[in-house]
Amino acid sequence: MVIFGTGEVRQFIPTGGDYTYLIVYLITLIALTFMWLFLGQRYQVYMWLRDAERATLKLEAMAKKGKEVLVNAIKELGKPDKDPSEEVEKFMDFFVIEPVDRDPFGVLKRLEHLLDVEREKFKDVVARVAPKANSDERANLEASFAAAWAVNYIYKFVRHYMLLGKKTKSMIVLMQIAYSLPMIMRLAEAYFNSLDAFTKGKPIGDSVGPMVAAKLMKGYPCKSIGDEIVAAEVPFEGRLLVVVKAEGPGGRVGKPGEAIAKLAQQYKDRLKRIITVDAAIKMEGENTGQVAEGVGAAIGDPGPEKYKIEQVALELGVGLDAVIIKQAYEEALSTMRKELAEAVDRAVEVVKKIVREKVVEGGVAIIAGIGNTIGVGNG
Amino acid sequence: MLNQIPISSNGDYTYLLTWYLLLVLIVLIIFSTLLSATRRRVLVTLRGMRTITVLQCEKCDYKEEREFQVGDYVLKRVGECAKCKGPLYISMIYGVPEKGPPRPYGY
């Protein structure tokens, strides 16, 4: 047997009758081929499992640190008589069961009811562990509880699939979790980084909506209209703006849909437009702080609040405009970036432009700043 | 033993391939073992963020920046303007990512 090398013909089988090396060579080749065939998949599974284990360890550290940050904040703000660690640990197993949707009739009402009860639960636990915190501090602690819970839940979720994959040696389970990890870790880090802002009362990226409303209502008296929402009447170039936002500066979102529906009925004779301003998740490649204008209700709730806005707009035949300020998911949950703080003024100008174009003099427009109002006052 | 290593005594490099393949196998095994040995050393890093509070006068163009203090919030009145004695309020609070490597903690 001959093989062709670089310009010369070499003997593949060595001359001289010594076949030892050939045998070793063939054994190695066969061993490698078998390893490739049978161990390749196992090696891939091992790599996925390793990735999932590393992520689980990282998430475990994040969950522990998150709880630690929360407990320290409770001790500092709430001055509790006993250590809140046990209560915090217990709350980490809290869950909400979604309403049945096989019969969709009235599902939004049932969902709203469950969300109200959930909010009540958060309030109860904060009141119990931080009795001496004021109303705004309690709201911040509620948001901190939610963030710490989210990190802990993500940790438990990844650990579950990692252990399930390990136990069953299922490639599909491990592959799914391994390939989802980049997105899951981004989400976990976003919630984890939000703890600093929530415990200290700093505005976050999601606060851009309430900040636009606060800038519009600045200098005008505002009053609470229930459901943790404040409103102010702001005269603007012969029109009346009814500006709505969650009650700040605590970490509240309120029920803006309910408030808008109430106000729309109140001003229905002169109401010409409902404008919602909110943070929106940007697509990759888009710039943080980009302000965009569109149609619809800009609100990221699970459904009930958005439904109320759309319903009242339809009933009264009023146009719905949406202004969004684009940002990445992690930016929406962490301390507000400079680009976003600067985008607020541009968004205010866009709102004013829409009012000039769509609302005749003497008309009324409802402007709602949607989002968490942490670190943003009421104007 | 040494003279058996087939770095071609007779110019035939075929045997070298055998040793090369064995070497690759050994390196792969060592590499995998090292990887699994280091997997426990997981570092969670915390991205440091400086938070700036911007104070602005309502009457003149005076602007001042300082570090965020707990209790600060946007539109909070924080005293008088150093220039015109007008009311000073917080116009902006924003975070700036800290320079340098992220701070590790945990494992």
Side-chain angles (χ1 to χ4, degrees), chain A residues 7 95 165 171 201 230 250 257 268 279 284 286 301 349:
Chain A
F95 60 91
M171 272 188 88
V230 291
K268 66 178 173 192
E284 289 301 327
E286 285 185 321
D301 87 311
E349 288 312 311

Side-chain angles (χ1 to χ4, degrees), chain A residues 146-158:
Chain A
W149 180 88
V151 177
N152 194 63
Y153 182 78
I154 295 170
Y155 156 60
K156 289 202 291 189
F157 178 85
V158 172

Side-chain angles (χ1 to χ4, degrees), chain A residues 11-12 14 21 24-25 32 35 43 46 50 53 58 60-61 64-65 192-193 200 202-203 214-215 218 249 336-338 341 375 377 379, chain B residues 4 12 14-15 17-18 21 25 32 35-36 39-40 42 44 46-47 49 51 58 68 72-75 89 91-95 105 107:
Chain A
Q11 281 290 329
F12 186 62
Y21 295 124
V24 172
Y25 170 67
L32 279 174
M35 272 176 76
Y43 188 69
Y46 165 75
R50 218 188 92 251
E53 277 177 344
K58 196 171 176 177
E60 187 185 9
K64 269 186 192 165
K65 184 73 184 173
F192 181 71
N193 284 317
K200 290 179 184 143
K202 298 174 186 176
K215 293 226 168 179
K218 185 173 175 286
M336 187 180 284
R337 299 291 170 93
K338 195 178 185 187
Chain B
Q4 284 187 2
D12 191 342
T14 315
Y15 308 128
L17 190 64
T18 312
L21 287 171
L25 197 66
S32 307
L35 265 181
S36 74
R39 69 184 175 180
R40 285 270 153 197
V42 176
V44 178
L46 195 63
R47 199 180 43 225
M49 185 86 93
T51 311
E58 268 182 31
F68 173 86
D72 282 356
Y73 62 85
V74 177
L75 299 189
Y89 74 102
S91 64
M92 225 187 246
I93 296 172
Y94 60 83
Y105 74 83
Y107 291 78

Side-chain angles (χ1 to χ4, degrees), chain A residues 83-102:
Chain A
D83 187 14
S85 308
E86 198 186 326
E87 197 80 38
V88 167
E89 197 59 55
K90 221 162 66 184
F91 195 76
M92 290 300 131
D93 284 330
F94 177 72
F95 60 91
V96 178
I97 301 168
E98 283 186 16
V100 62
D101 55 5
R102 279 186 189 171

Side-chain angles (χ1 to χ4, degrees), chain A residues 26-62:
Chain A
L26 285 174
I27 290 171
T28 315
L29 200 67
I30 291 163
L32 279 174
T33 313
F34 271 81
M35 272 176 76
W36 180 256
L37 280 175
F38 300 111
L39 296 181
Q41 276 193 348
R42 280 188 172 271
Y43 188 69
Q44 184 62 69
V45 166
Y46 165 75
M47 294 299 279
W48 285 333
L49 190 61
R50 218 188 92 251
D51 285 348
E53 277 177 344
R54 280 174 73 91
T56 309
L57 282 171
K58 196 171 176 177
L59 286 167
E60 187 185 9
M62 282 163 91

